[in-house]
Amino acid sequence: MPPTVLTARALLLDMDGTLVNSDAVVERCWRRWAVEHGLDPEAALKVVHGRQGYATMAVLLPDRPVEENHADNRVMLAEETADVEGVVPIGGAPAFMAAIAELPHALVTSADTALATARMGAAALPMPAVRVTAEQVGASKPDPEGFLKGAAELGFDAADCVVFEDSEAGIAAGRAAGMRVVGVGPRAAALAPDVHVEDLTRVRVEAAADGSIRLHFDAA
């Protein structure tokens, strides 16, 4: 049985699919890109979540020069940043963010700062003071760099951190960082995170007297 309580010193939070439901925007933009490049949109959508855009493009078009992927990624980011129609908070996210407001936490996202700001704002969620965005890492998830940087900025060891993620790439990154992972939502269900929850309504946060964070789960 998965644990119903995890104890941590800090929390590292993915954004898309974990705090913010941006699937409508992601699907609009990536379907358009896939069709423009002669790809099956349904197949493309299976690999887009959790990675930076250029990394997704490298998976889908492995023989294309990386410079073209980065150029397309810049266009994609501009399109996604301008399109917030249908962007809403994941169930329970407002209460969850309120519960951890005074506790050590960081946003670790494959979005750049502009996109993260647009989506967190559209979902009416507070932007964490500590955040690791696309500009701050040299490698996209599933590389653990972002999560390790988030832990370092908060001043905690990897083993003391719990990651909240929804995607295959993100869960792999959390594991590679040596952290425990809470999988959020349907994509995470088949990826064997340490704990899986349908959404953030299934998580209760308790600040312990010793400064630790106790996470109580109504696990799915």
Side-chain angles (χ1 to χ4, degrees):
M1 292 288 292
T4 57
V5 179
L6 290 178
T7 301
R9 307 294 294 187
L11 308 179
L12 301 177
L13 314 173
D14 175 52
M15 181 180 71
D16 291 307
T18 302
L19 298 175
V20 173
N21 183 343
S22 57
D23 283 358
V25 180
V26 171
E27 291 193 10
R28 280 195 293 272
C29 292
W30 280 97
R31 282 182 187 279
R32 183 165 59 245
W33 182 89
V35 170
E36 289 172 355
H37 291 83
L39 299 171
D40 175 6
E42 298 304 324
L45 288 173
K46 292 179 180 178
V47 298
V48 301
H49 297 287
R51 295 181 173 88
Q52 291 188 42
Y54 75 85
T56 293
M57 293 168 190
V59 171
L60 295 170
L61 296 172
D63 297 325
R64 195 166 79 144
V66 66
E67 294 81 8
E68 292 185 30
N69 293 337
H70 280 281
D72 270 13
N73 188 46
R74 288 191 288 273
V75 174
M76 178 74 73
L77 282 171
E79 291 176 349
E80 289 188 294
T81 302
D83 183 356
V84 294
E85 184 179 351
V87 174
V88 295
I90 292 291
F96 176 79
M97 293 300 288
I100 68 170
E102 303 302 322
L103 304 175
H105 69 282
L107 189 73
V108 181
T109 175
S110 294
D112 66 5
T113 298
L115 181 56
T117 300
R119 287 188 176 163
M120 292 290 281
L125 294 175
M127 178 66 81
V130 177
R131 49 195 177 267
V132 179
T133 57
E135 302 97 327
Q136 297 167 269
V137 296
S140 174
K141 298 171 186 178
D143 191 282
E145 180 184 1
F147 286 125
L148 292 172
K149 281 195 169 185
E153 287 198 35
L154 291 171
F156 293 98
D157 293 336
D160 291 327
C161 298
V162 168
V163 165
F164 282 73
E165 263 286 2
D166 74 300
S167 71
E168 182 176 11
I171 288 173
R175 285 200 184 107
M179 299 172 183
R180 291 158 294 161
V181 179
V182 177
V184 180
R187 279 188 291 271
L191 301 173
D194 294 283
V195 178
H196 175 252
V197 292
E198 293 177 1
D199 61 26
L200 296 172
T201 66
R202 305 291 190 121
V203 185
R204 181 170 63 84
V205 180
E206 177 191 359
D210 64 357
S212 65
I213 303 166
R214 290 175 61 82
L215 302 167
H216 300 261
F217 301 101
D218 176 11

